[in-house]
Amino acid sequence: MKLYLDPGHGGTDPGALGNGLREKDVNLDIALRIRSLLVTNYENVSVMMSRTTDSTKDLQQRTNEANNWGADYYVSIHCNAFNGTARGYEDFIHDALSDATQTARYRDILHEEIAKVNQLTNRGKKKANLHVLRETTMPAVLTENGFIDNSQDAALMKLSTWRQNVAQGHVNGISRAFNLQPKQTSNPPGTLYKVIAGSFTDKTNADERAVFLQSRGIDAFVITTTISGRIWYRVQAGAFNTRENAEQRLQEVLNTGVDAFIIVE
């Protein structure tokens, strides 16, 4: 399955603004998490992204790229804005399509899975004559993940745990719609995968790193280890029984700009 994943806006186009957030940043963060979850956990899935950084790309470039690649599905990630009072989740397919089309059936599945986990008011399934829905040659959906100018929705958007859940909802929908098969993994009994987000000789620096990660919604604390007779202060951002869960947390930490790695014990 070939997924074209399109985090809306970017570069010179910030998208909607509100409550200290820029839509382009939220879109990209969610999309990167979707890609990570899909390629880590499922067999035979390829993901191409319209952008993986804060770069500028026009709509025609995005749809041309997806069409030329021969994508099986086009998913465009967005946030909404209106007047500060509207809130909630909604998604769109092209308005020329009937509810009996394959595009609508895919959208129905994604809508159900995303709405289960996003903690947002469900504004329903909608249709519109949008470029990315009109000019794509494959089924396409555009998701609007909350209103960035609404203080309640924005408070959720600021949480890395919320963005991870929204990404997981998209992945759950895509995996159902396309019958993706989970990767077969083996985790030896008693194995523990720890995510380490920095090692310091100065405990103050370790404490600061832990506080920073906690401010981004990631549980973290300082542990000590002795290497060649010297005490090191490590920042641990989770310990997991499966490699898959550790990789997911690792991506969350990396998305904050902090270098991290996994150790196996």
Side-chain angles (χ1 to χ4, degrees):
M1 182 262 185
K2 297 169 70 174
L3 172 69
Y4 190 87
L5 188 55
D6 176 24
H9 309 287
T12 58
D13 175 13
L17 305 171
N19 296 288
L21 295 169
R22 302 182 300 185
E23 182 190 355
K24 65 176 182 177
D25 299 329
V26 179
N27 297 344
L28 180 59
D29 185 83
I30 293 171
L32 287 170
R33 293 170 188 270
I34 292 171
R35 181 183 68 173
S36 177
L37 288 167
L38 281 171
V39 300
T40 299
N41 297 316
Y42 292 94
E43 300 282 0
N44 302 318
V45 58
S46 299
V47 180
M48 178 182 288
M49 294 183 63
S50 61
R51 61 186 183 95
T52 57
T53 61
D54 184 18
S55 56
T56 303
K57 199 169 197 176
D58 67 34
L59 295 176
Q60 194 65 55
Q61 288 176 304
R62 298 174 196 233
T63 53
N64 284 350
E65 189 172 66
N67 292 340
N68 292 336
W69 186 47
D72 297 307
Y73 199 34
Y74 190 110
V75 177
S76 190
I77 307 298
H78 284 260
C79 301
N80 230 325
F82 184 56
N83 63 0
T85 61
R87 58 181 312 218
Y89 170 79
E90 59 194 19
D91 43 43
F92 292 84
I93 60 174
H94 192 257
D95 59 9
L97 298 172
S98 79
D99 292 337
T101 59
Q102 186 67 69
T103 298
R105 288 193 288 270
Y106 287 157
R107 189 275 307 274
D108 290 346
I109 294 171
L110 262 73
H111 185 97
E112 178 183 348
E113 293 295 338
I114 296 167
K116 284 179 183 177
V117 299
N118 64 12
Q119 302 173 255
L120 296 171
T121 303
N122 191 338
R123 296 171 58 88
K125 297 174 283 188
K126 301 185 178 183
K127 299 178 182 180
N129 184 24
L130 302 173
H131 176 95
V132 298
L133 305 178
R134 181 182 66 249
E135 300 301 325
T136 41
T137 57
M138 72 292 301
V141 67
L142 184 146
T143 64
E144 292 277 10
N145 298 279
F147 282 74
I148 204 167
D149 59 348
N150 178 276
S151 59
Q152 293 170 286
D153 282 9
L156 291 172
M157 291 180 193
K158 292 177 181 179
L159 301 174
S160 65
T161 50
W162 180 84
R163 298 191 301 273
Q164 187 70 25
N165 286 338
V166 169
Q168 186 68 64
H170 282 73
V171 169
N172 293 345
I174 293 166
S175 65
R176 267 186 61 198
F178 288 87
N179 193 30
L180 299 183
Q181 299 303 304
K183 288 184 176 179
Q184 299 300 315
T185 59
S186 59
N187 297 290
T191 301
L192 201 59
Y193 300 89
K194 295 182 178 180
V195 179
I196 304 300
S199 294
F200 304 88
T201 56
D202 186 334
K203 188 174 185 298
T204 300
N205 293 336
D207 288 337
E208 289 176 355
R209 174 64 57 80
V211 169
F212 170 75
L213 291 173
Q214 291 165 8
S215 74
R216 301 296 294 270
I218 297 173
D219 291 333
F221 57 92
V222 177
I223 59 175
T224 59
T225 187
T226 302
I227 301 175
S228 300
R230 189 175 188 180
I231 295 176
W232 289 81
Y233 299 94
R234 282 179 168 172
V235 180
Q236 183 171 310
F240 304 89
N241 293 321
T242 67
R243 180 88 190 192
E244 294 76 21
N245 290 338
E247 292 282 359
Q248 181 175 314
R249 174 57 56 81
L250 176 65
Q251 188 62 54
E252 292 178 27
V253 174
L254 294 175
N255 287 343
T256 70
V258 169
D259 288 332
F261 56 92
I262 295 173
I263 61 173
V264 181
E265 294 183 353

